[in-house]
Amino acid sequence: MPFCQIRRLTYAHYGILLKILQPALRKTLNDLRLGYLDLFLIHWPVAFKYVEFDPSVRGWENEDIDESDEGNLIDPTVSLRDTWAAMEELVDKGLVKHIGVANFPAILLHDLLSYSRIPPAVDQVEIHPYNQQSKLLAYCKSRNIAVQAYSPLGTPGYKETGEPDVLSDPILKEIAGAHGISVAQLCLQWSLQRGCHVVAKSSNKKHMEENLLMNHKNEFVTGATQLSSDDMERIASLDRSYRFFRPEDWWKDMPVPVFH
């Protein structure tokens, strides 16, 4: 069974009680023609007002819709505790194997762990050489929560004009050149050696093949790159806590500073 993550439903329906969350999940299972999901995540640590949907229709009419409506649909009355209890019920019913979160800072994880019956298996967060989140990584390791890095290359396809370009960084280019790999491969290997699971997105066959050559323990790839402690220290020096995904910029009518 493939490892599946569903982010849109957890974004649009986060905070909805079990009577709403279950039908939303069952629609996803029907869309994917699956009996259960291996992993189901809460996408953001804020709740959104319920959005009507037709469970009989496969997929979504508009995949690009902004469910937050610039923050107008954020619901400040819904607690994370109630939402997590509803997520735990999905595990009890066998609809999902594991539950987790995304974009949660350490303090919210700490609170969640104080009352959760089923602890979060994963925290999926933005991690790349310009946003390394070392303290969050250390906390998750101490609490046995896996960290999954999204945008590990600094989201080159979505960054705005004037934002920094991770893949053009001269130090990264120098280290990558010394190992005979691309900067993208270097970023992936760096994340893997830090103990992260990595979500790398590409529609380019060559890039997909290059990504598969990166492996932390060399279990499947003979002669795969391993970065030295000096390499890791040089990359660590590049951290500037720069986020390409800043929800407070999108939720202008209710600018929740998730990461501050």
Side-chain angles (χ1 to χ4, degrees):
M1 181 66 67
F3 205 74
C4 299
Q5 298 180 72
I6 303 305
R7 297 179 61 194
R8 177 162 294 280
L9 284 179
T10 52
Y11 183 88
H13 301 290
Y14 161 55
I16 308 304
L17 298 179
L18 192 59
K19 64 181 181 180
I20 300 301
L21 185 57
Q22 273 198 43
L25 174 58
R26 289 185 184 279
K27 179 189 183 318
T28 295
L29 293 174
N30 181 60
D31 288 347
L32 297 175
R33 303 295 190 258
L34 294 174
Y36 67 89
L37 295 179
D38 288 294
L39 178 64
F40 198 47
L41 303 180
I42 293 175
H43 193 157
W44 291 103
V46 294
F48 293 87
K49 296 175 184 177
Y50 176 63
V51 178
E52 292 286 347
F53 65 95
D54 185 348
S56 67
V57 177
R58 193 177 184 195
W60 300 90
E61 182 178 353
N62 180 7
E63 292 288 347
D64 297 324
I65 189 171
D66 174 15
E67 297 93 341
S68 72
D69 188 25
E70 295 192 345
N72 287 305
L73 292 183
I74 290 176
D75 187 346
T77 68
V78 179
S79 74
L80 174 58
R81 187 166 190 160
D82 288 342
T83 302
W84 193 254
M87 295 283 282
E88 291 173 325
E89 287 291 328
L90 300 178
V91 178
D92 294 339
K93 292 180 179 295
L95 297 173
V96 298
K97 297 295 184 181
H98 304 281
I99 50 179
V101 297
N103 301 297
F104 270 47
I107 193 63
L108 281 183
L109 289 174
H110 193 70
D111 180 66
L112 176 57
L113 288 166
S114 72
Y115 55 75
S116 58
R117 178 168 53 86
I118 302 173
V122 174
D123 188 10
Q124 186 186 87
V125 294
E126 179 184 345
I127 290 181
H128 45 74
Y130 287 177
N131 188 46
Q132 300 188 15
Q133 304 218 58
S134 298
K135 292 180 179 179
L136 176 62
L137 275 175
Y139 179 81
C140 288
K141 183 178 181 179
S142 73
R143 303 304 300 270
N144 199 32
I145 299 173
V147 175
Q148 192 173 61
Y150 72 77
S151 296
L153 312 182
T155 190
Y158 296 95
K159 71 182 186 69
E160 299 177 5
T161 302
E163 290 193 294
D165 185 355
V166 173
L167 298 183
S168 296
D169 186 274
I171 292 179
L172 295 179
K173 291 173 74 173
E174 180 184 336
I175 297 172
H179 287 281
I181 59 177
S182 69
V183 175
Q185 287 177 306
L186 172 67
C187 290
L188 297 180
Q189 186 64 29
W190 168 78
S191 275
L192 290 170
Q193 287 190 211
R194 298 177 81 219
C196 295
H197 303 272
V198 182
V199 179
K201 179 181 179 181
S202 178
S203 59
N204 183 294
K205 181 180 178 182
K206 180 176 181 292
H207 292 166
M208 293 179 189
E209 292 172 344
E210 289 177 346
N211 293 346
L212 290 174
L213 295 176
M214 300 296 102
N215 185 278
H216 177 26
K217 295 181 180 179
N218 295 340
E219 292 175 292
F220 307 108
V221 183
T222 301
T225 299
Q226 289 291 285
L227 303 179
S228 68
S229 58
D230 182 63
D231 292 333
M232 298 296 284
E233 289 175 7
R234 293 184 69 194
I235 297 173
S237 71
L238 300 177
D239 190 16
R240 56 179 81 174
S241 299
Y242 189 90
R243 297 179 185 276
F244 291 96
F245 294 91
R246 303 178 294 274
E248 61 270 22
D249 292 350
W250 315 328
W251 305 333
K252 299 183 185 300
D253 294 321
M254 189 178 286
V256 181
V258 173
F259 304 117
H260 303 281

